């Protein structure tokens, strides 16, 4: 009986050890994935406190992980806008590609597209949200350049069309003068 | 006068019954690694070996169970190796919260101070197999909470680290600065520890 109990205990210990090994691997996997992601991702509590912040977010915002954890997300987004987004994500569970401005540590403004998804507990209650951002700086710059090019083309078109009209006018004038010289009756073009 | 961390003291602390999850040690060491660098971490590892309880940062499993004395010993070693004041040691405890993935996994309690107060005993048990933590008072209007910790006496430095830890958890829950004061302590002759956290 005593031996049986001892064996049972040993089996249980082995099971616990295996579970801990698995948890450790899982934790390491989550950390590696979160750290690797080239996209800035953070995890925010329902009241807007930053609980997790990946290296890509450190890079875009200028804040170090240990400086920003425990701080409000309003530090990097407009308070009113981010509160609205939190509310939306917590109730609708997801916000997709919302254009916002991210404020860096040096208060530089970066246009970003924000994605947010609520994390739910085992009862389905939203207990926080993942927030990911996509830097729109390059896209906005390309957009601006394209707009400028379109403007230039428009100016060119106006100039080119104006020139064409002038040419047509001059051509008509020449024809009229030629007719006059030849003593032909003038024609209206 | 601060008691010097000797092999004898280490042995006495290690004799404390009970276990702590690896995260309680690893998150403190993570602060050292991030703030002071690899060489500082190696100093800490060397100190633990010198005390007769070798421990390597990379080998600490956050979810595993370690003797609770090892957690207290690590706190004391950090304080001694880096010559920290009580306030600075408290700050290590506070910063450790930021590095605790374990805390973030159970962060569903970071919803409201009321919920946190309700779930605090469970959170304690997830970290330590000994000590009984209860919330004796919670006043959202006056913005304070009183935590009582019974049946645990390791070392005063352990209480210091807990102060930082408790304050930061409350701060992360309410979204504003919080301060913690140990109003009762078994090392000052009280029957239990009591912490007052205000925000």
């Amino acid at each position: 009986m005593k031996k049986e109990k001892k064996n049972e205990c040993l089996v249980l210990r082995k099971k616990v050890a295996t579970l801990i090994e698995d948890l450790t691997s899982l934790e390491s996997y989550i950390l590696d994935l979160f750290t690797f992601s080239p996209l800035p991702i953070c995890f925010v509590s329902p009241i807007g406190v930053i609980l997790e912040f990946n290296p890509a977010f450190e890079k875009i915002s200028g804040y170090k992980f240990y400086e920003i954890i425990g701080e409000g997300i309003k530090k990097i987004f407009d308070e009113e806008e981010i509160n609205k987004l939190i509310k939306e994500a917590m109730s609708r569970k997801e916000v997709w590609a919302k254009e916002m401005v991210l404020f860096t540590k040096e208060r530089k403004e970066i246009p970003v597209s924000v994605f947010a998804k609520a994390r739910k507990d085992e009862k389905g209650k939203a207990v926080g949200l993942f927030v990911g951002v996509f830097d729109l700086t390059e896209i906005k710059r390309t957009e601006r350049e394209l707009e400028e090019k379109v403007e230039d083309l428009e100016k060119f078109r106006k100039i080119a069309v104006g020139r064409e009209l002038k040419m047509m006018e001059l051509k008509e004038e020449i024809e009229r003068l030629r007719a006059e010289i030849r003593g032909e009756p003038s024609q209206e073009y | 006068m601060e008691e010097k961390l000797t092999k004898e003291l280490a042995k006495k602390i290690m004799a404390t019954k009970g276990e702590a999850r690896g995260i309680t040690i690893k998150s403190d060491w993570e602060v050292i690694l991030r703030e002071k660098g690899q060489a500082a971490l190696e100093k800490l590892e060397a100190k633990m070996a010198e005390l007769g309880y070798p421990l390597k940062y990379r080998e600490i499993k956050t979810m595993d169970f370690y003797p609770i004395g090892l957690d207290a010993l690590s706190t004391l070693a950090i304080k001694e190796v880096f010559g920290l004041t009580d306030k600075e040691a408290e700050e290590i405890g506070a910063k450790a919260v930021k590095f605790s993935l374990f805390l973030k996994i159970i962060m569903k309690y970071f919803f409201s101070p009321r919920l946190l107060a309700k779930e605090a005993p469970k959170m304690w048990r997830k970290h330590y197999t000994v000590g009984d933590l209860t919330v004796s008072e919670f006043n959202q209007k006056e913005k304070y909470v009183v935590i009582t910790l019974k049946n645990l006496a390791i070392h005063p430095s352990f209480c210091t680290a807990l102060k930082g830890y408790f304050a930061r958890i409350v701060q992360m829950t309410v979204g504003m600065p919080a301060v913690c004061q140990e109003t009762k302590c078994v090392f000052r002759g009280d029957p239990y520890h009591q912490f007052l956290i205000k925000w």
Side-chain angles (χ1 to χ4, degrees):
Chain A
M1 190 70 182
K2 215 174 176 184
K3 202 178 171 188
E4 245 176 60
K5 272 247 179 214
K6 207 176 168 187
N7 274 345
E8 239 177 67
C9 207
L10 210 71
V11 170
L12 264 178
R13 269 192 197 164
K14 276 186 183 169
K15 278 186 182 171
V16 170
T18 309
L19 284 174
I20 287 170
E21 281 291 330
D22 292 349
L23 277 173
T24 308
S25 302
L26 190 63
E27 186 201 1
S28 159
Y29 175 79
I30 295 168
L31 263 178
D32 287 348
L33 187 68
F34 202 67
T35 309
F36 158 76
S37 169
L39 288 177
I41 303 168
C42 67
F43 186 68
V44 180
S45 81
I47 58 158
V49 174
I50 299 170
L51 300 174
E52 197 59 88
F53 204 71
N54 77 342
F57 225 129
E58 283 186 329
K59 201 174 166 193
I60 192 172
S61 68
Y63 285 106
K64 287 280 166 209
F65 169 89
Y66 52 83
E67 289 175 316
I68 201 75
I69 298 290
E71 299 291 333
I73 195 167
K74 62 184 180 192
K75 215 165 180 172
I76 45 178
F77 290 106
D78 175 75
E79 191 172 354
E80 202 178 313
E81 261 194 295
I82 198 68
N83 283 343
K84 213 171 133 193
L85 182 125
I86 292 173
K87 215 174 151 188
E88 217 175 307
M90 297 292 280
S91 57
R92 269 190 16 209
K93 316 289 183 225
E94 199 171 282
V95 172
W96 201 255
K98 189 178 169 72
E99 268 196 38
M100 286 172 76
V101 173
L102 182 149
F103 299 100
T104 68
K105 192 177 173 184
E106 286 78 31
R107 304 316 286 168
K108 193 178 138 200
E109 295 183 11
I110 298 179
V112 288
S113 188
V114 183
F115 302 79
K117 191 177 188 333
R119 184 186 167 223
K120 291 178 270 179
D121 68 5
E122 56 277 13
K123 286 174 188 155
K125 189 177 171 189
V127 290
L129 63 151
F130 287 105
V131 177
V133 302
F134 183 79
D135 188 351
L136 294 177
T137 309
E138 277 303 301
I139 292 174
K140 290 279 174 195
R141 193 179 56 81
T142 313
E143 256 180 26
R144 261 198 320 273
E145 279 174 8
L146 271 175
E147 273 169 19
E148 279 168 18
K149 279 195 177 126
V150 167
E151 252 176 55
D152 287 349
L153 279 171
E154 186 60 27
K155 274 182 203 163
F156 177 75
R157 191 188 67 84
K158 276 182 185 162
I159 292 167
V161 170
R163 189 170 162 269
E164 186 70 16
L165 288 173
K166 193 77 189 161
M167 291 284 282
M168 278 166 72
E169 243 175 62
L170 286 170
K171 216 170 154 185
E172 282 170 15
E173 183 67 10
I174 291 166
E175 285 302 322
R176 196 183 55 79
L177 288 171
R178 269 190 192 150
E180 240 181 64
I181 293 164
R182 287 198 293 266
E184 290 169 5
S186 68
Q187 279 177 5
E188 284 299 319
Y189 289 93
Chain B
M1 182 75 184
E2 186 78 21
E3 197 177 358
K4 194 159 167 51
L5 182 52
T6 57
K7 274 190 174 183
E8 289 67 40
L9 177 61
K11 203 173 165 190
K12 195 177 143 196
I13 289 171
M14 287 302 290
T16 315
K17 281 197 166 52
E19 289 175 316
R21 299 298 281 272
I23 188 66
T24 59
I25 306 167
K26 198 163 188 173
S27 51
D28 287 350
W29 289 35
E30 181 89 30
V31 177
I32 299 299
L33 177 64
R34 291 253 190 170
E35 295 201 337
K36 299 185 189 288
Q38 182 63 32
L41 190 69
E42 281 162 17
K43 268 189 195 172
L44 188 57
E45 288 176 342
K47 182 71 190 178
M48 293 299 282
E50 182 198 310
L51 291 168
Y53 300 94
L55 191 63
K56 295 273 178 202
Y57 168 77
R58 301 269 166 223
E59 289 165 13
I60 304 172
K61 290 179 184 160
T62 53
M63 307 283 180
D64 211 343
F65 293 88
Y66 293 82
I68 193 168
L70 207 57
D71 185 19
L73 203 58
S74 143
T75 306
L76 271 169
I78 289 172
K79 208 173 164 210
E80 188 166 298
V81 169
F82 305 108
L84 305 182
T85 61
D86 276 348
K87 193 71 208 154
E88 287 163 336
E90 189 181 325
E91 197 48 38
I92 296 280
K95 284 176 182 165
V97 176
K98 298 185 178 193
F99 297 104
S100 171
L101 179 73
F102 188 60
L103 253 187
K104 285 156 200 168
I105 291 170
I106 57 165
M107 57 57 62
K108 55 191 173 192
Y109 311 125
F110 284 98
F111 203 94
S112 72
R114 188 176 297 279
L115 191 60
L116 180 71
K118 193 179 154 223
E119 300 292 338
K122 269 196 223 167
M123 281 174 72
W124 174 266
R125 193 53 77 229
K126 278 180 191 272
H127 286 78
Y128 300 103
T129 61
V130 286
D132 300 302
L133 185 141
T134 49
V135 174
S136 357
E137 234 185 303
F138 170 74
N139 192 324
Q140 188 147 16
K141 200 177 158 203
E142 302 281 326
K143 296 181 179 174
Y144 73 85
V145 60
V146 179
I147 288 174
T148 302
L149 182 60
K150 289 181 179 170
N151 308 318
L152 189 69
I154 308 180
H155 189 274
S157 286
F158 189 71
C159 310
T160 307
L162 283 181
K163 271 164 64 182
Y165 206 67
F166 290 155
R168 186 55 60 94
I169 290 174
V170 170
Q171 181 176 333
M172 283 166 85
T173 310
V174 297
M176 56 182 82
V179 284
C180 180
Q181 189 191 343
E182 192 180 23
T183 47
K184 284 181 184 168
C185 180
V186 291
F187 296 104
R188 295 198 303 257
D190 296 308
Y192 48 79
H193 305 270
Q194 199 157 64
F195 299 90
L196 167 69
I197 307 145
K198 290 181 183 175
W199 67 90

